[in-house]
Amino acid sequence: MAEKTRYSDEELEEFREIINEKLALAKRDYDQMMSVLMNKDSNDVDDTSPTYKALEEGSATQSKEDLISFAARQQKFIQGLKAALVRIENKTYGIDRITGKLIPKERLKAVPHATLSVESKQMEKKRH
C-alpha cells in the first residue's frame, strides 16, 4: 500500500472542527485580555486612593507587562490557527514542511497549527 501524501477530506473536516473550537476559545481569551489591559469593566480606585497607588504601581506594571506578553503570544497562536485553516482549504494541512510527509494525527490534535513533525522540529532546533 502506498504511503498517504495528504489527509482525506473527511479527516481535514475533523481537523477544521478542532481548529475552529480552539480559535473561538483563543479569540475569547484574547478579547478578555485586551479588555483588562484597556481597563474596561473596571471598578478601579486608581483616582480615589493615591495613598495605595504608589505601593501597587510596581506590581500593576509587572502584571500589565505579563498580560501584554501573553496577549501577543495569543495573537500569534490565533494567526497560526487561521493559517492552518488556509492549509485545510488548500488541502496541504498536516504535511511536514521539511520532509513533505504527513504529520501524525496525534500531534495535529495536540498542536493543530503545527507545520513540522516532532522529528523535524527537533532537527530544526539542533541546527540553531
Side-chain angles (χ1 to χ4, degrees):
M1 187 173 145
E3 190 175 331
K4 278 175 66 170
T5 56
R6 78 169 192 88
Y7 284 109
S8 70
D9 290 348
E10 294 79 21
E11 291 167 315
L12 290 175
E13 199 52 45
E14 190 180 321
F15 286 123
R16 183 192 315 271
E17 288 176 22
I18 292 168
I19 291 169
N20 280 327
E21 283 176 26
K22 288 191 182 271
L23 190 55
L25 287 172
K27 284 179 178 178
R28 187 200 68 201
D29 291 348
Y30 178 78
D31 290 344
Q32 286 175 342
M33 283 182 260
M34 294 311 293
S35 179
V36 169
L37 284 170
M38 296 176 161
N39 287 328
K40 291 181 183 169
D41 305 325
S42 178
N43 289 335
D44 215 348
V45 293
D46 278 352
D47 57 346
T48 59
S49 63
T51 312
Y52 299 106
K53 187 170 174 131
L55 298 173
E56 293 182 6
E57 211 166 81
S59 176
T61 299
Q62 181 64 46
S63 295
K64 197 168 246 187
E65 287 172 3
D66 291 346
L67 198 54
I68 288 168
S69 176
F70 189 68
R73 283 196 306 273
Q74 194 72 355
Q75 193 171 33
K76 186 177 178 185
F77 179 57
I78 290 168
Q79 289 170 341
L81 291 173
K82 286 181 178 179
L85 289 173
V86 170
R87 290 193 301 280
I88 286 174
E89 287 300 313
N90 297 337
K91 300 189 187 301
T92 59
Y93 179 79
I95 300 171
D96 186 307
R97 64 182 161 84
I98 292 177
T99 66
K101 295 181 181 176
L102 283 184
I103 299 169
K105 274 187 177 183
E106 299 77 37
R107 172 151 171 81
L108 292 172
K109 286 180 179 178
V111 186
H113 58 292
T115 59
L116 296 172
S117 66
V118 172
E119 296 79 20
S120 293
K121 181 101 175 158
Q122 289 171 343
M123 284 186 335
E124 194 176 67
K125 280 184 179 180
K126 286 179 185 175
R127 281 190 276 162
H128 294 286

